Amino acid sequence: MLTDIFQQIEKAGSAKTTKSGGIMDIGVNVLPKLPRDAGDRNRTSPFAFTGNKFEFRAVSSNQSIALPNIALNVAGHRVARLRRDRAREAA
């Protein structure tokens, strides 16, 4: 699903749709067929991809906030360094 989103962005500049999740096969014939959600169901991920965007989720109370904070700090530092380098090249 994520590859499909990236291909749409590469071709058109934005993603308009996501692939369907299909039908869940739970192995029981007497229950109705249920649609499978195409979105991200990993609710433990602090940086979940939810169809057309990335979401930042707070960690639960029994987890350390250190790893998500490190990831955000590294990402922010890289962007700041890239901007600094571009400003130096332009000067």
Side-chain angles (χ1 to χ4, degrees):
M1 181 176 74
L2 187 56
T3 303
D4 177 52
I5 299 287
F6 285 143
Q7 288 172 348
Q8 288 181 50
I9 292 170
E10 191 175 64
K11 289 179 185 174
S14 66
K16 302 293 183 197
T17 62
T18 60
K19 288 187 175 179
S20 171
I23 302 294
M24 284 195 308
D25 179 17
I26 55 176
V28 179
N29 295 332
V30 296
L31 295 177
K33 295 184 188 248
L34 301 170
R36 185 180 320 145
D37 186 14
D40 172 55
R41 303 309 302 164
N42 182 4
R43 298 296 178 209
T44 61
S45 172
F47 305 106
F49 185 75
T50 58
N52 63 350
K53 66 186 179 305
F54 284 94
E55 250 181 36
F56 173 73
R57 296 188 181 125
V59 297
S60 65
S61 63
N62 65 347
Q63 293 177 320
S64 171
I65 192 78
L67 186 59
N69 278 342
I70 290 169
L72 288 172
N73 287 336
V74 168
H77 178 265
R78 287 185 178 176
V79 170
R81 188 173 50 188
L82 179 64
R83 288 184 179 184
R84 180 201 65 194
D85 293 345
R86 287 185 180 170
R88 285 182 178 173
E89 290 173 4

